[in-house]
Amino acid sequence: MQSFRTELENPIVEKEIIDLEKKIHAFRGGTIDGERFRSLRLARGIYGQRQEGVQMIRIKLPFGKVTSEQLVRITKVSDEYSTGRLHITTRQDIQIHYVSLDRTPELWANLAKDDITLREACGNTVRNITASELAGVDVNEPFDVSPYAHGMFQYLLRNPICQEMGRKFKISFSSSDEDTALSYLHDLGFIPKIVNGKRGFKVMLGGGLGSQPIHAELLSEFIPANEIVPTAEGIIRVFDRHGERNKRMKARMKFLIKDIGKEAFLELVEKEKKAIAFETYEIDITGFDEVIPETLLQVPKVIIADTSAYEKWKKSNVIPQKQKGYVAIGIKVLLGDFYTDKARVLADLIKNYAANELRFSLRQNIVIRNVKEENLPFFYQELAKLDMVAPGYNSTADITACPGTDTCNLGIASSTGIAEELEKVIEAEYPHYKNNSEIEIKISGCMNACGQHNMSAIGFQGMSINAGKLVAPALQVLLGGANLGNGKGRFADKVIKIPSRRGPEALRYILNDFDANANGSSFVNYYEEKGEKYFYEILKPLATITNLTEADFVDWGNADNYVKAVGVGECAGVVIDLVATLLLEAKDKLTFAREAFEEKKWSDAIYHAYSGFVNGAKALLLSENQKTNHQAGIIELFDTVFVETNKIPFQTSFKDLVFQINKNEPCEAFAKKYIQQAITFFDTIEEFRAKELIYEK
């Protein structure tokens, strides 16, 4: 692996990239543990693929916003380091696949030249902060939430409180009460409100999808805008300290709240207030409320030949903005995949004719904003050249799907293959659903719900069916999910499991019944009226496995018989239990604490020192075959095993020593004292560990 040199304006990013290169060298040389290295690379957006020897790179794009310069930079990186294919995720990121691990530092350095980051795009971190793609132009919004999403992103990026949590943490900002950013299924969901002329947010807490979807609880009907950052910090601190770390399936914040109760959780949050550097945090909103600039180039006049197709496109894909005379254009992107040649043309279009911005959507689409209505014919003409004027944006015909077995280690059945087939069915047999924005179809390749199948009107989850000596790919059919607005939603019911090859027929059964019997009712109301049993009976003939054909054993998009092959999942990070690795981590945290102290970042320095305490204590507990499932438990157990037994002499309890963190304000004096105490503690446990190793020999 050859070294490279980077000349970036941001020394912090440059240091991170050089550190990544060193860690890759150490991993290749066998001097860093593979599990520890996996955790490190995931927090830097580098994710193992189903295909051995290559990586998926996730590019973090807060609230899906990208400028033409950034989009061009992403295309150059994809062309040089990957295959030229860009994948839009359901969290408004861009993923590129088939990247060599050794080239990831260089790739990151190139992205950073246009202020694009990989930091915390994967792993046990705060993931990309999402927002309604129409935020800033939504006719129903009380104000633009974009600067608040951006401010939250900036505050939490590289923040020591959220680098190595028990699981991932997701935050969303909806633009209005329509709640199009789906607050009810996020760890923290924000819905904008104005009360007595003051900006703020309704806040939802502790939602999530996965194998056990849980509806978020109401945290507050109104939190002033300048209190949302300290509120989020307190909640994240509690999750970091008390969240499950051993049982991966129970490690999301929703389970912590369920286990101890919302009131007990909020009491812990209250105790953290003193440790937070401020009671209010003003988010800079300049640059977001400016007048839309004039186009750089004069827009050519265009005469549309096929006016019928143009009008259909306008009806389904063009959205009026709150700015008079302007519209947004929705581009339906099949499976979220598009290529760099088209991306470069889009970059030129938005730079020259549309205020230099587009946004990726939660449904894996593209939105061009700030287009003058009079210029729509020109945009239609240019987008038609790219084959990007398919009607049905955000409609039933616009199916969401995760990559599934194409590239993901956890994929059980093909989600992209069945999605393509279902879109063909709608195109050929149900064209009227291109104007139906209520019935969403979403598909995931496994139970983790990256395709959000369990919150959609019609959902499919990849599974398998045992049929004698063979295994067939299957789909769990889910029905009745819906976003009800203003923080409320309904999760879909699991209705029946069928062989994957019968997925198109299942869709026909569902839509035919709805068309024939709903009598103008919405799908969710019709489903609730009829009930799960009714739809089970409709679909039951498709579930039998006594009449499977050879085709049923071949998954969509494949030529060979299906083989269930599930690898080790990485989307939630890993649990690290090696003593030497933890001691090394503890030492790293103390180094970070000293560096933050020198930069006068008292709060960061204190939290790094706290992490040093915890990692050091966990290392010693593991050396004694003692385990616990969260940081608070580690702190208490260390007292039980080492302090109360006088194995390690302490003038006070370890708990009192460590929990000074939430009893003192983050000032210079306390930071200096706390860091020194952490260093002394580390020296003590290293000495103890050395004696124990000599004794063991």
Side-chain angles (χ1 to χ4, degrees):
M1 184 173 121
Q2 293 187 345
S3 182
F4 74 97
R5 287 295 169 258
T6 167
E7 296 180 4
L8 298 175
E9 293 181 5
N10 190 329
I12 296 174
V13 177
E14 185 168 22
K15 181 182 176 183
E16 288 178 338
I17 294 170
I18 292 171
D19 181 60
L20 173 62
E21 184 190 28
K22 289 178 180 177
K23 291 293 196 300
I24 292 172
H25 275 293
F27 170 66
R28 295 295 194 202
T31 58
I32 184 172
D33 174 72
E35 293 297 278
R36 171 60 185 153
F37 178 68
R38 183 187 301 184
S39 177
L40 181 141
R41 65 173 166 77
L42 283 169
R44 283 145 186 83
I46 304 166
Y47 186 105
Q49 271 187 218
R50 195 178 189 91
Q51 294 78 11
E52 197 170 333
V54 290
Q55 312 292 316
M56 177 270 283
I57 305 300
R58 184 175 292 151
I59 299 169
K60 196 171 189 178
L61 299 171
F63 55 99
K65 179 184 176 182
V66 65
T67 65
S68 63
E69 292 80 9
Q70 289 174 322
L71 188 54
V72 168
R73 177 66 62 184
I74 291 169
T75 64
K76 289 179 178 178
V77 162
S78 182
D79 284 341
E80 183 171 352
Y81 300 96
S82 181
T83 61
R85 180 174 71 100
L86 307 175
H87 177 72
I88 308 167
T89 76
T90 55
R91 295 206 64 76
Q92 299 173 299
D93 297 303
I94 285 288
Q95 291 177 177
I96 59 176
H97 295 82
Y98 301 99
V99 177
S100 165
L101 175 63
D102 295 335
R103 301 192 74 191
T104 54
E106 185 181 346
L107 177 152
W108 187 2
N110 276 311
L111 287 172
K113 291 175 183 177
D114 277 299
D115 196 27
I116 304 169
T117 189
L118 308 181
R119 274 297 303 241
E120 297 137 56
C122 305
N124 300 329
T125 62
V126 175
R127 297 293 185 84
N128 196 33
I129 294 177
T130 58
S132 303
E133 61 268 24
L134 295 181
V137 302
D138 188 345
V139 294
N140 296 314
E141 68 183 21
F143 56 87
D144 184 4
V145 301
S146 304
Y148 300 96
H150 187 253
M152 186 75 77
F153 155 74
Q154 286 185 312
Y155 183 78
L156 294 174
L157 188 71
R158 301 184 179 87
N159 194 314
I161 68 172
C162 54
Q163 297 304 299
E164 295 174 344
M165 299 182 290
R167 280 292 300 270
K168 56 193 173 184
F169 192 98
K170 296 182 178 181
I171 299 174
S172 76
F173 284 81
S174 287
S175 59
S176 72
D177 284 358
E178 292 182 6
D179 199 14
T180 52
L182 310 173
S183 67
Y184 65 95
L185 54 82
H186 282 78
D187 295 286
L188 273 176
F190 296 90
I191 303 171
K193 305 285 182 179
I194 293 179
V195 176
N196 297 325
K198 188 174 184 179
R199 289 184 176 188
F201 294 87
K202 178 176 182 175
V203 184
M204 304 300 295
L205 172 72
L209 290 178
S211 59
Q212 298 181 56
I214 292 179
H215 196 294
E217 298 190 50
L218 176 67
L219 176 63
S220 175
E221 284 288 354
F222 184 79
I223 291 179
N226 62 2
E227 294 180 20
I228 63 171
V229 167
T231 297
E233 176 168 349
I235 289 166
I236 292 169
R237 280 172 173 259
V238 169
F239 175 55
D240 188 35
R241 187 166 304 147
H242 296 273
E244 172 68 48
R245 287 175 179 267
N246 287 341
K247 299 173 184 175
R248 178 178 169 275
M249 298 302 293
K250 293 286 186 180
R252 289 294 299 274
M253 190 176 73
K254 61 186 180 181
F255 295 114
L256 174 60
I257 295 172
K258 183 180 179 181
D259 288 345
I260 68 173
K262 187 176 81 168
E263 295 309 315
F265 181 88
L266 294 180
E267 285 176 14
L268 292 171
V269 173
E270 184 68 24
K271 290 179 181 178
E272 292 298 314
K273 281 190 173 180
K274 198 165 188 178
I276 299 173
F278 39 77
E279 293 183 5
T280 61
Y281 184 91
E282 299 294 338
I283 290 175
D284 185 6
I285 64 172
T286 57
F288 286 90
D289 291 329
E290 296 177 358
V291 176
I292 299 171
E294 288 295 322
T295 59
L296 288 181
L297 301 180
Q298 186 174 354
V299 179
K301 296 296 181 185
V302 169
I303 297 175
I304 299 297
D306 189 345
T307 56
S308 175
Y310 174 67
E311 291 300 327
K312 286 181 181 177
W313 172 78
K314 277 180 63 177
K315 183 177 180 181
S316 67
N317 292 44
V318 176
I319 308 141
Q321 292 188 183
K322 68 179 184 181
Q323 295 87 356
K324 188 176 180 180
Y326 285 87
V327 295
I329 298 172
I331 299 175
K332 180 175 173 286
V333 183
L334 179 63
L335 305 177
D337 292 336
F338 70 119
Y339 288 82
T340 53
D341 55 346
K342 294 184 179 182
R344 281 189 287 272
V345 177
L346 285 176
D348 286 342
L349 275 174
I350 64 171
K351 182 174 184 178
N352 295 324
Y353 307 109
N356 198 26
E357 176 189 340
L358 62 75
R359 297 204 187 178
F360 299 116
S361 82
L362 298 166
R363 291 182 66 173
Q364 303 174 291
N365 289 320
I366 296 170
V367 178
I368 299 176
R369 300 143 57 94
N370 301 318
V371 174
K372 285 186 176 179
E373 284 187 82
E374 63 201 60
N375 296 334
L376 269 175
F378 168 74
F379 271 89
Y380 178 78
Q381 171 188 275
E382 297 305 302
L383 292 172
K385 293 176 184 177
L386 302 176
D387 195 24
M388 285 187 158
V389 291
Y393 171 80
N394 274 4
S395 72
T396 307
D398 190 359
I399 297 175
T400 301
C402 71
T405 51
D406 290 357
T407 56
C408 179
N409 277 319
L410 291 176
I412 297 174
S414 174
S415 43
T416 58
I418 182 61
E420 288 193 72
E421 291 302 316
L422 296 184
E423 289 217 0
K424 290 176 185 176
V425 169
I426 294 171
E427 176 71 29
E429 303 172 35
Y430 303 91
H432 53 291
Y433 277 95
K434 291 180 181 179
N435 290 314
N436 184 312
S437 59
E438 185 229 344
I439 301 177
E440 297 179 335
I441 301 175
K442 295 176 181 284
I443 307 170
S444 299
C446 74
M447 64 183 178
N448 280 338
C450 293
Q452 301 177 338
H453 64 277
N454 44 14
M455 54 74 59
S456 64
I458 302 173
F460 296 94
Q461 176 195 325
M463 305 187 83
S464 62
I465 290 177
N466 291 320
K469 295 180 180 180
L470 295 175
V471 178
L475 295 169
Q476 177 80 56
V477 182
L478 300 94
L479 298 172
N483 172 21
L484 305 177
N486 200 22
K488 295 186 183 298
R490 187 191 191 285
F491 292 120
D493 296 326
K494 295 177 181 178
V495 176
I496 199 167
K497 183 164 76 169
I498 62 173
S500 288
R501 284 283 170 174
R502 298 173 187 172
E505 199 63 13
L507 181 63
R508 292 185 182 99
Y509 283 18
I510 295 164
L511 294 183
N512 288 345
D513 175 79
F514 181 68
D515 284 345
N517 302 312
N519 296 319
S521 176
S522 69
F523 186 86
V524 66
N525 287 341
Y526 179 68
Y527 175 79
E528 288 191 327
E529 174 195 335
K530 292 294 186 181
E532 178 185 335
K533 182 69 174 175
Y534 173 83
F535 285 92
Y536 172 83
E537 292 297 333
I538 289 175
L539 297 171
K540 188 176 178 180
L542 301 178
T544 181
I545 60 172
T546 58
N547 58 350
L548 295 181
T549 66
E550 288 186 15
D552 288 313
F553 292 96
V554 179
D555 206 355
W556 293 106
N558 290 270
D560 299 323
N561 273 12
Y562 172 78
V563 176
K564 183 180 178 181
V566 182
V568 177
E570 297 193 330
C571 51
V574 293
V575 177
I576 304 163
D577 281 337
L578 299 175
V579 175
T581 299
L582 283 166
L583 287 171
L584 180 62
E585 281 185 10
K587 198 168 187 177
D588 284 346
K589 299 301 182 187
L590 298 181
T591 300
F592 299 155
R594 287 190 289 260
E595 290 174 351
F597 184 84
E598 289 171 3
E599 295 171 6
K600 303 187 185 303
K601 296 178 179 178
W602 316 131
S603 182
D604 286 5
I606 291 163
Y607 209 88
H608 282 308
Y610 162 79
S611 297
F613 275 122
V614 172
N615 284 331
K618 184 176 182 181
L620 241 60
L621 286 168
L622 290 174
S623 72
E624 299 279 319
N625 295 317
Q626 299 283 340
K627 293 184 180 181
T628 186
N629 59 350
H630 52 69
Q631 290 182 346
I634 289 169
I635 294 165
E636 291 188 3
L637 189 60
F638 190 88
D639 271 330
T640 302
V641 175
F642 294 105
V643 179
E644 294 171 8
T645 59
N646 292 317
K647 283 187 175 182
I648 297 179
F650 263 77
Q651 293 180 341
T652 181
S653 72
F654 184 60
K655 182 177 180 180
D656 287 344
L657 176 65
V658 176
F659 281 150
Q660 292 178 92
I661 188 173
N662 57 16
K663 295 177 176 63
N664 291 270
E665 294 180 359
C667 61
E668 179 180 4
F670 174 61
K672 184 176 182 180
K673 171 189 171 186
Y674 197 62
I675 292 169
Q676 186 54 54
Q677 289 172 329
I679 292 170
T680 301
F681 171 72
F682 186 78
D683 291 341
T684 300
I685 63 174
E686 270 204 320
E687 181 181 349
F688 177 85
R689 177 67 177 156
K691 289 179 181 177
E692 288 289 298
L693 290 174
I694 292 171
Y695 176 76
E696 289 172 6
K697 290 178 181 178

